[in-house]
Amino acid sequence: MLCLRGKESEILSLSPNQKHKKKVKGCGAVVEIRDLFRLLCPMRSFFPAESCKEAHPNALNPQSWLHIERGKLPKLSSHPSSASIESLIKVPQPAILPFFKPVDYVEVLARIHEELESCPPQERSNLFLLQYQVFRGLGEVKLMRRSLQGAWQRAHTVHEKIIFGAWLKYEKQEEELMADLLAACGKCAKEFAPVDIAFHLPFDVNASSEGRTTNENRISQNVTFTIGSEKIVCDRQKISELSAPFHAMLKGHFSESLSETIDLSENNISPSGMKAISDFSLNGSLIEVPPNLLLEILVFANKYCCERLKDACDRRLASLVSSKEDAVELMEYALDEHSSVLAASCLQVLLRDLPNCMNDNRVVEIFVHANKQQLEVMVGPGIFALFCFLSEVSMNLNSSSDTTAHFLERLVEFAENGKQRLLALHQLGCVRLLRKEYDEARCLFEGAVNAGHMYSVAGLARLDYIKGDKLLSYGQLSSVISSVTSLGWMYQERSLYCDGDKRWEDLEKASNLDPTLIYPYMYRAATLMRTQNAHAALAEINRILGFKLSLECLEIRFFIHLSLEDYKAALCDVQTILTLRSDYRMFEGRVAASQLCTLVREHVERWTTADCWARLYDCWSAVDDIGSLSVIYQMLESDAAKGILYFRQSLLLLRLNCPEAAMRSLLLARQHASSEHERLVYEGWILYDTGHYEEGLQKAEESIDIKRSFEAFFLKAYALADSSIDPSCSPTVISLLEDALKCPSDNLRKGQESKVDEVLGRVNGHWEGGVCCEAAYGGYWWLF
């Protein structure tokens, strides 16, 4: 195995005929190319719970299914049980998700809404953060971003504004790809712009020396400070006004008040620094002072309580922070000297550079090692929100890393109420479980359950199962099911700890309660394949793929189609996988999906451009979205007009609830637009899908001015409906839809015009009933 690794790239680059004939020498044996995947892809990732301890079956041999010559596959009579696909389609246990998953989402969301209307302003951002976590558990990306937007808009402090602004920037990274489009519209998301920290943190210290005891017998208006061999002449009155200590020294009852010369050689200030301080006492400015001297003055000002000087130095240094290197270097000074403006400025630069700066250990150490007092200087009252953001970014990068664990430890440390604490405990418990730190994980899950998070029982059950106490795991889930309202995940989790009919029954209940859970469908399909019932397995996996697109389910269906020798359907599945993720890898990440696509394609007759268009029309008319995606994928490899194809692809992906992939397709459609009016339509949909409805409406109007098209009118109707909830817009929206259907068809919409009366009737009815237009026709993407 190890000896062959040097040959992998050579093997996978061969032509099909070469692959069929080529042999590779290694480990003292000759290995045929048809056995390549036997060596590379044992497919260990797909295993059911009951088979975790079984001996691993013989390795997979897909090349034997994908025999280069078209025709029937050779029967594997020599090793029928171990070499068959059926014995290898297996399913991993569902993960314990690090999300807040209450038993009653409606009750929790209603309570948050009620509290938002009555709580003090300083509590609103934390309530929106909790709302975000609820939507995160539901997988509602748009609602998550809306909650973050609410937290940003209602931030009570500049620190919260920084955190939630950076969080929104992180969540909307795809909008950076359309920065030029937003700029051209004269629009740039305000949350993406840096906060003017100095403006939001005004200086409010009274630096006046009024009321202080003075020695009127001072001998001179000037005072000379000696530092080493150098002398700096200063205005005694101006220097005394810098702070109470200087006032007591120069105008109080100390001996220095009568001295014309005072030695400051032992006070860690250079002659240049003291000269700059003298200038500041006269003109109040540090503009011309270099950064290294500013740091020296900052330390001096903090030591002698020169608040006005410190504030000026703080703000001047803050204005110089422009890069991660600046922020890392200056943050230490800011925290040591309690310089809030400088610390906030450094924080803003670091957060806006996420996730990139997470790879810098210096940045991680700043957040991990800062004590509570330093964190308050850095982020004010927003410590929990800060670590909530940092831990999410780190989990997205590597859930089991030390950095993730450290951030979540701090999240637990700074939780301020019960909801925050249960979330932090559960998330850290999930990370400890991944890291196989089982004792720590148990304590954390128990704490989360005691705080009211019932979903954490799933973590405790998993830990008992790992210890070998399957019966206890089953009992824990049964206790939960009998004590609260049953949810799909409860039966799914309990199914892991029983066998046979009981498991099947629990998984059926899980699917009935929550049809979006993919594990039950995958398990049932795998079980049916193990009993040589491929057609039933296919029907089972199609149940979930009929309404929810899942890469894991597509991969299983790909193998089922191979077992049925339906290479056309298998090709469709792998092309859809590549549409969603071009870098997707199968067989435990050992083989690129694109490589399997190449192998399967050898068994499918190639289509002409006309064949592709005919097939696309058939799939589109039958609302076969996966089939349509596969055809478009194949067409995009040819010289067909790519703009309209990428646009159609984006519509399909939106309908299949894949917004990120849809946005990538829209951006490619814009890039490959064949005309100005077409490009404007694509830009309009990009703006619409990112929440910029008015700008999307403007693009639609510009496109219509050039050429009337179905897409432009439909975009205008959509954007108008979402930019206004005024029922008086109803006739305009209906008129726009009617205008859309009067435009020339592109053959994909033939036969669909007969449905327009139904659509317009629903739109009319919903408007009359006071319901927004999106609810009326939001699902009618098929009109395209």
Side-chain angles (χ1 to χ4, degrees):
M1 175 68 176
L2 294 176
C3 298
L4 282 174
R5 288 200 177 274
K7 297 289 185 178
E8 289 176 22
S9 60
E10 174 191 348
I11 294 168
L12 296 179
S13 65
L14 297 175
S15 68
N17 288 334
Q18 288 174 310
K19 288 177 183 175
H20 184 52
K21 299 175 181 177
K22 178 87 173 174
K23 295 186 179 181
V24 180
K25 292 183 179 180
C27 303
V30 177
V31 183
E32 293 186 8
I33 294 304
R34 68 184 186 85
D35 292 326
L36 171 64
F37 289 101
R38 184 190 300 274
L39 294 169
L40 297 183
C41 316
M43 198 177 169
R44 287 192 295 265
S45 63
F46 293 95
F47 53 89
E50 78 272 17
S51 65
C52 291
K53 298 178 182 179
E54 293 177 3
H56 197 281
N58 288 353
L60 191 62
N61 184 7
Q63 189 70 13
S64 64
W65 323 325
L66 304 176
H67 210 275
I68 298 306
E69 288 142 8
R70 295 187 178 94
K72 237 179 162 177
L73 290 175
K75 300 299 181 183
L76 301 175
S77 55
S78 58
H79 302 285
S81 60
S82 63
S84 64
I85 302 172
E86 292 87 344
S87 66
L88 293 168
I89 297 181
K90 301 177 182 179
V91 186
Q93 287 184 342
I96 305 296
L97 302 174
F99 303 145
F100 177 38
K101 296 176 76 69
V103 173
D104 191 337
Y105 282 96
V106 174
E107 180 186 354
V108 172
L109 288 171
R111 191 182 304 122
I112 292 172
H113 181 79
E114 183 179 350
E115 291 179 14
L116 280 170
E117 293 182 336
S118 59
C119 71
Q122 64 269 22
E123 296 179 9
R124 285 180 186 155
S125 60
N126 276 335
L127 283 171
F128 275 110
L129 178 56
L130 176 60
Q131 188 184 71
Y132 166 86
Q133 295 294 349
V134 175
F135 288 138
R136 188 182 179 208
L138 289 168
E140 294 289 343
V141 176
K142 284 190 175 181
L143 295 177
M144 288 163 56
R145 292 182 179 180
R146 186 182 297 176
S147 297
L148 283 181
Q149 189 84 24
W152 176 77
Q153 290 173 338
R154 293 164 179 80
H156 187 66
T157 67
V158 66
H159 303 96
E160 290 176 341
K161 204 83 170 176
I162 291 169
I163 293 168
F164 292 114
W167 203 334
L168 275 167
K169 182 177 183 293
Y170 170 76
E171 288 288 338
K172 296 184 177 182
Q173 291 177 70
E174 75 277 1
E175 289 199 19
E176 294 181 5
L177 300 174
M178 49 176 278
D180 61 325
L181 178 56
L182 288 171
C185 295
K187 170 107 178 183
C188 182
K190 292 181 180 179
E191 63 269 23
F192 285 8
V195 179
D196 185 351
I197 295 169
F199 174 79
H200 287 87
L201 291 175
F203 177 65
D204 58 0
V205 176
N206 183 3
S208 171
S209 60
E210 248 181 21
R212 293 170 180 164
T213 303
T214 62
N215 182 358
E216 298 298 332
N217 297 320
R218 59 185 182 277
I219 61 173
S220 172
Q221 293 296 321
N222 291 330
V223 61
T224 300
F225 293 105
T226 62
I227 301 173
S229 60
E230 296 196 39
K231 298 181 179 181
I232 300 95
V233 179
C234 304
D235 185 296
R236 183 184 294 269
Q237 174 66 26
K238 295 296 184 181
I239 294 294
S240 71
E241 291 174 357
L242 290 177
S243 71
F246 269 123
H247 185 273
M249 177 193 297
L250 301 176
K251 299 186 70 176
H253 297 283
F254 288 89
S255 60
E256 286 87 349
S257 64
L258 302 176
S259 302
E260 293 187 359
T261 302
I262 300 174
D263 188 4
L264 288 183
S265 300
E266 303 299 323
N267 287 272
N268 297 319
I269 188 73
S270 66
S272 299
M274 195 64 217
K275 179 65 170 63
I277 292 171
S278 176
D279 292 342
F280 175 82
S281 71
L282 298 173
N283 57 38
S285 174
L286 293 171
I287 294 297
E288 302 300 327
V289 180
N292 61 324
L293 211 55
L294 286 170
L295 291 171
E296 182 183 314
I297 295 170
L298 176 66
V299 175
F300 183 86
N302 193 45
K303 179 179 179 180
Y304 286 97
C305 305
C306 303
E307 298 300 334
R308 190 162 57 89
L309 174 62
K310 177 185 174 182
D311 181 72
C313 199
D314 189 7
R315 291 169 190 273
R316 176 64 182 140
L317 282 167
S319 70
L320 300 176
V321 182
S322 60
S323 68
K324 181 186 72 174
E325 291 300 322
D326 294 338
V328 170
E329 181 181 351
L330 294 174
M331 180 67 89
E332 182 180 354
Y333 287 94
L335 298 181
D336 289 344
E337 307 305 328
H338 302 281
S339 301
S340 58
V341 180
L342 178 57
S345 298
C346 294
L347 175 70
Q348 178 167 240
V349 169
L350 295 177
L351 294 187
R352 287 172 61 82
D353 191 40
L354 289 172
N356 298 328
C357 71
M358 202 66 80
N359 297 318
D360 191 326
N361 290 332
R362 298 173 302 166
V363 174
V364 173
E365 288 173 3
I366 286 172
F367 297 117
V368 169
H369 297 304
N371 59 39
K372 183 177 181 180
Q373 185 180 26
Q374 291 173 325
L375 287 170
E376 287 174 347
V377 172
M378 185 195 306
V379 74
I383 301 177
F384 183 83
L386 171 67
F387 284 108
C388 213
F389 177 28
L390 292 174
S391 60
E392 180 172 323
V393 174
S394 187
M395 278 192 287
N396 290 339
L397 292 172
N398 184 352
S399 295
S400 59
S401 69
D402 290 342
T403 299
T404 301
H406 291 323
F407 284 155
L408 287 172
E409 287 169 356
R410 309 231 70 183
L411 192 68
V412 172
E413 179 183 352
F414 293 108
E416 299 172 359
N417 55 51
K419 288 290 190 295
Q420 291 182 354
R421 182 164 178 78
L422 68 84
L423 170 66
L425 289 169
H426 177 74
Q427 288 186 327
L428 184 54
C430 291
V431 170
R432 296 295 187 201
L433 179 60
L434 283 174
R435 291 163 61 92
K436 299 183 179 181
E437 298 167 355
Y438 298 135
D439 291 339
E440 294 90 337
R442 182 177 296 279
C443 293
L444 292 161
F445 284 134
E446 286 175 348
V449 172
N450 293 335
H453 193 229
M454 200 62 66
Y455 178 63
S456 296
V457 171
L460 292 173
R462 197 67 62 89
L463 289 166
D464 288 328
Y465 176 70
I466 291 170
K467 288 177 62 178
D469 200 337
K470 191 175 179 179
L471 188 60
L472 180 58
S473 300
Y474 185 88
Q476 285 182 313
L477 270 303
S478 296
S479 176
V480 171
I481 290 171
S482 63
S483 62
V484 297
T485 304
S486 298
L487 297 175
W489 67 261
M490 299 174 185
Y491 285 100
Q492 175 178 275
E493 287 298 316
R494 192 174 74 169
S495 74
L496 303 177
Y497 314 119
C498 55
D499 302 300
D501 293 341
K502 282 187 177 181
R503 169 172 283 196
W504 196 277
E505 182 181 340
D506 273 356
L507 289 174
E508 285 291 351
K509 288 180 179 178
S511 294
N512 290 335
L513 289 168
D514 187 353
T516 65
L517 295 172
I518 67 171
Y519 173 78
Y521 302 95
M522 294 172 67
Y523 176 84
R524 288 190 291 261
T527 302
L528 289 166
M529 285 297 293
R530 288 164 67 87
T531 59
Q532 306 294 314
N533 196 343
H535 289 286
L538 182 61
E540 179 62 35
I541 207 69
N542 281 340
R543 287 175 60 192
I544 180 75
L545 287 173
F547 65 90
K548 182 176 181 178
L549 202 57
S550 160
L551 288 169
E552 296 91 339
C553 292
L554 279 171
E555 185 171 349
I556 282 185
R557 193 170 76 170
F558 168 78
F559 295 128
I560 295 174
H561 282 140
L562 286 180
S563 73
L564 295 170
E565 299 181 12
D566 187 348
Y567 301 121
K568 185 181 294 185
L571 181 63
C572 174
D573 287 337
V574 75
Q575 286 178 335
T576 303
I577 287 172
L578 290 169
T579 298
L580 292 171
R581 273 186 57 184
S582 59
D583 61 345
Y584 190 76
R585 301 184 69 83
M586 303 165 81
F587 298 113
E588 201 185 12
R590 292 170 179 264
V591 178
S594 57
Q595 188 64 33
L596 289 177
C597 181
T598 301
L599 292 172
V600 175
R601 189 175 289 161
E602 292 298 324
H603 300 271
V604 178
E605 185 177 353
R606 294 190 179 275
W607 294 339
T608 65
T609 301
D611 291 334
C612 287
W613 277 110
R615 178 62 179 160
L616 182 57
Y617 170 74
D618 291 340
C619 292
W620 204 282
S621 299
V623 199
D624 178 5
D625 295 339
I626 293 177
S628 297
L629 284 174
S630 174
V631 177
I632 289 175
Y633 180 88
Q634 188 164 328
M635 295 174 73
L636 286 169
E637 293 182 331
S638 68
D639 294 328
K642 289 184 169 55
I644 187 64
L645 290 173
Y646 278 122
F647 178 58
R648 297 284 174 185
Q649 188 180 73
S650 74
L651 297 177
L652 290 164
L653 291 167
L654 275 177
R655 186 156 64 187
L656 291 166
N657 196 28
C658 303
E660 293 181 2
M663 180 54 66
R664 289 197 300 269
S665 296
L666 265 179
L667 291 168
L668 288 168
R670 179 195 181 205
Q671 180 182 335
H672 291 91
S674 60
S675 64
E676 177 70 8
H677 75 88
E678 188 180 318
R679 180 182 61 79
L680 289 167
V681 169
Y682 303 153
E683 290 180 349
W685 281 113
I686 290 170
L687 291 164
Y688 172 86
D689 285 339
T690 51
H692 305 291
Y693 302 134
E694 294 179 2
E695 289 71 24
L697 182 62
Q698 180 183 345
K699 291 289 182 180
E701 291 171 346
E702 290 176 15
S703 180
I704 291 171
D705 288 342
I706 298 172
K707 182 180 178 180
R708 296 167 65 87
S709 68
F710 178 91
E711 291 78 11
F713 276 113
F714 201 82
L715 167 62
K716 185 174 180 179
Y718 238 76
L720 180 62
D722 272 352
S723 60
S724 174
I725 59 173
D726 185 356
S728 64
C729 291
S730 176
T732 306
V733 172
I734 293 172
S735 175
L736 288 169
L737 290 173
E738 291 172 339
D739 287 339
L741 292 172
K742 293 175 185 176
C743 295
S745 173
D746 63 0
N747 293 326
L748 290 182
R749 296 194 309 273
K750 279 185 177 178
Q752 294 176 335
E753 283 83 351
S754 60
K755 300 181 182 179
V756 74
D757 290 336
E758 175 192 351
V759 179
L760 295 177
R762 291 192 183 189
V763 174
N764 227 348
H766 278 285
W767 275 111
E768 290 171 1
V771 181
C772 74
C773 194
E774 183 178 6
Y777 62 81
Y780 286 93
W781 286 100
W782 50 263
L783 278 172
F784 281 103

